[in-house]
Amino acid sequence: MIDVLLPVFNAASTVAEAIESVRRQTVAEQRIIVIDDGSTDHTPEILAGLARQDSRITVLRQRNGGIVDALNAGLERCAGTFIARQDADDISDASRLAMQLDYLERHPDCVAVSGAVRHIDETGRRTGNTQYFASPDAADARWAPSREPYLCHPFLMVRREAMQSVGGYRHVHNSEDTDLYWRLSERGRLHNLDLPIGDYRMHAGSISGGSIANGRIMALSSQLAGVSALRRKEGRPDLRFDREMIAEYRRVPTLSGLYELGRQQLDKAEAEYLRLAMAAKLLELTSYRPYELELDDCVFIREARDGLQRLTAANRTEFHRLHAAAVARLLKRGQMREAAALAPPSLYAPAAARLAAMALPGSLRHVLIRPRERRRKLTDGAVSRR
């Protein structure tokens, strides 16, 4: 009935607990397909021991090639009606698969489902935060940054037929899940359950949270995924996402350099949008990731503001809010040079107001932050460790 797809790389400290959370599911008719992507720690020995204990576990070992190659290798072995995802450091509730299976069987128009998650720290302790996700129906590839049809990737369940029809994962580096959801949404409806279905581990070692360099790559790739979706919708040739491009991305240290690489396949209007959308996405990422804008990022974002007139009034308002918040953070951290490079004079007043709010006690600050902004912090879809 269900094939659970679990890629792993050097996760000896957490993989046994993650797999155990799948083994104890109330849905017994399942296989657990583990792809060891060239681990160099004790992960292979742990996986071998678990496979001896449970015949439902199949372990595939391959040379390290990255998350996309690992997932696609696992997909080739999937034969169940449904495919579920699980990461090697997250924990599924015992009823997770049953809840998702029930929803998909009752809603034949839906091709993929995920749900809310509780946050745990590196040691596995719950932080007290539960994250809910916006409806994928609100997706908008013309917004800057694009509003993704987002599902929490480590807790995804998808119909295998739909996954096969879109060709599996593509090399949209650090945003392969975003690209997958745009393509799945062309096959049917996506849905986020309003109930928590597992524990999501928050740690600085994740790809998306690891560094500003990864954030820049995500800012490019996620927005190219949106442009790609628009092209398909308009019947135009799709963008190419080559495996080899990640090496080029990693050699480019600046947002402006990544933009020059990303715009090569685009026409003039798409390139103008990409510049603004990348700026907005990095502002969004740094609002909750454990890294901050650097000087070159600030210069790029300041210059990208020249294209704000192409956005709707509501989108401009959101961009201004993210921009002012970034200036306030930089001022609070004492990064005066970066703040000056990022802020036009029109942002001085809102940034000063935010900086003053940051100095208030937590209860007062909570009241002053607009409810809409609080909701966005809860529903932002970019928490997946890409």
Side-chain angles (χ1 to χ4, degrees):
M1 178 70 73
I2 303 171
D3 285 323
V4 181
L5 198 56
L6 194 153
V8 57
F9 174 73
N10 286 354
S13 63
T14 60
V15 69
E17 185 178 20
I19 292 177
E20 180 59 29
S21 77
V22 181
R23 292 177 65 193
R24 68 168 185 255
Q25 291 293 306
T26 56
V27 176
E29 192 178 346
Q30 56 160 301
R31 291 192 309 162
I32 305 170
I33 301 175
V34 184
I35 309 92
D36 181 1
D37 192 34
S39 294
T40 57
D41 62 358
H42 294 297
T43 295
E45 292 88 344
I46 294 171
L47 295 177
L50 291 171
R52 286 194 294 269
Q53 297 174 26
D54 193 331
S55 61
R56 296 176 300 172
I57 299 174
T58 299
V59 179
L60 310 176
R61 182 166 171 80
Q62 64 180 33
R63 182 188 305 179
N64 180 257
I67 183 70
V68 171
D69 287 345
L71 287 170
N72 283 335
L75 286 175
E76 291 180 0
R77 298 293 292 271
C78 290
T81 305
F82 302 96
I83 298 171
R85 278 277 290 107
Q86 171 80 29
D87 270 359
D89 57 355
D90 296 325
I91 303 169
S92 289
D93 290 352
S95 61
R96 173 212 157 178
L97 296 183
M99 292 170 61
Q100 293 179 302
L101 180 61
D102 175 70
Y103 187 89
L104 288 171
E105 289 183 330
R106 288 188 296 106
H107 298 85
D109 62 319
C110 182
V111 297
V113 62
S114 189
V117 293
R118 295 176 297 269
H119 289 176
I120 57 176
D121 63 18
E122 293 187 25
T123 67
R125 289 193 297 263
R126 289 181 178 172
T127 67
N129 294 329
T130 300
Q131 186 150 22
Y132 298 86
F133 299 92
S135 170
D137 295 339
D140 185 351
R142 290 183 171 84
W143 200 266
S146 58
R147 288 181 170 175
E148 306 165 8
Y150 191 76
L151 306 174
C152 189
H153 192 218
F155 296 92
L156 172 71
M157 183 182 285
V158 58
R159 298 183 191 275
R160 181 170 64 92
E161 183 179 18
M163 181 68 90
Q164 289 178 328
S165 72
V166 300
Y169 292 88
R170 301 197 297 180
H171 288 274
V172 186
H173 304 293
N174 293 6
S175 296
E176 66 282 339
D177 51 352
T178 296
D179 174 65
L180 173 67
Y181 299 148
W182 282 118
R183 290 180 290 126
L184 283 175
S185 67
E186 297 163 10
R187 298 296 190 272
R189 190 170 59 85
L190 313 184
H191 181 71
N192 280 309
L193 298 174
D194 288 333
L195 295 173
I197 57 176
D199 294 337
Y200 178 93
R201 197 176 305 265
M202 304 290 290
H203 58 88
S206 65
I207 294 174
S208 53
S211 70
I212 184 64
N214 285 335
R216 293 183 189 114
I217 293 173
M218 185 182 292
L220 169 62
S221 295
S222 63
Q223 302 314 293
L224 286 177
V227 172
S228 181
L230 274 179
R231 283 196 166 201
R232 290 191 301 273
K233 185 176 181 180
E234 296 169 355
R236 301 172 60 199
D238 204 350
L239 298 181
R240 299 187 319 277
F241 294 99
D242 300 326
R243 175 188 286 103
E244 296 74 18
M245 284 305 298
I246 188 60
E248 293 294 323
Y249 289 171
R250 289 172 177 163
R251 279 196 287 268
V252 175
T254 64
L255 197 61
S256 58
L258 285 170
Y259 168 69
E260 292 302 323
L261 287 176
R263 67 177 298 182
Q264 292 177 7
Q265 295 188 63
L266 308 183
D267 61 30
K268 182 179 179 182
E270 290 171 332
E272 290 174 353
Y273 165 81
L274 179 67
R275 183 167 175 254
L276 189 57
M278 285 178 64
K281 185 63 176 180
L282 195 60
L283 285 172
E284 181 183 86
L285 290 172
T286 52
S287 71
Y288 62 92
R289 293 292 185 191
Y291 48 73
E292 191 50 89
L293 298 171
E294 296 178 354
L295 184 61
D296 287 339
D297 304 316
C298 295
V299 172
F300 181 90
I301 294 169
R302 172 78 176 267
E303 293 175 349
R305 284 178 58 93
D306 294 342
L308 280 176
Q309 70 279 355
R310 67 179 290 125
L311 303 181
T312 65
N315 199 168
R316 287 197 299 272
T317 297
E318 182 174 308
F319 189 100
H320 289 315
R321 177 184 60 80
L322 289 169
H323 201 173
V327 174
R329 289 196 314 272
L330 292 170
L331 290 172
K332 185 179 181 181
R333 292 164 62 100
Q335 295 179 243
M336 304 304 177
R337 188 181 179 198
E338 288 81 1
L342 182 62
S346 61
L347 275 188
Y348 292 169
R354 285 184 171 274
L355 188 60
M358 288 178 183
L360 292 173
S363 58
L364 285 176
R365 185 168 63 249
H366 180 79
V367 171
L368 288 176
I369 295 177
R370 292 178 301 172
R372 177 184 174 190
E373 183 170 343
R374 292 202 301 272
R375 286 198 302 272
R376 180 168 182 79
K377 289 180 179 179
L378 286 174
T379 60
D380 197 301
V383 299
S384 177
R385 288 183 300 282
R386 303 169 192 158

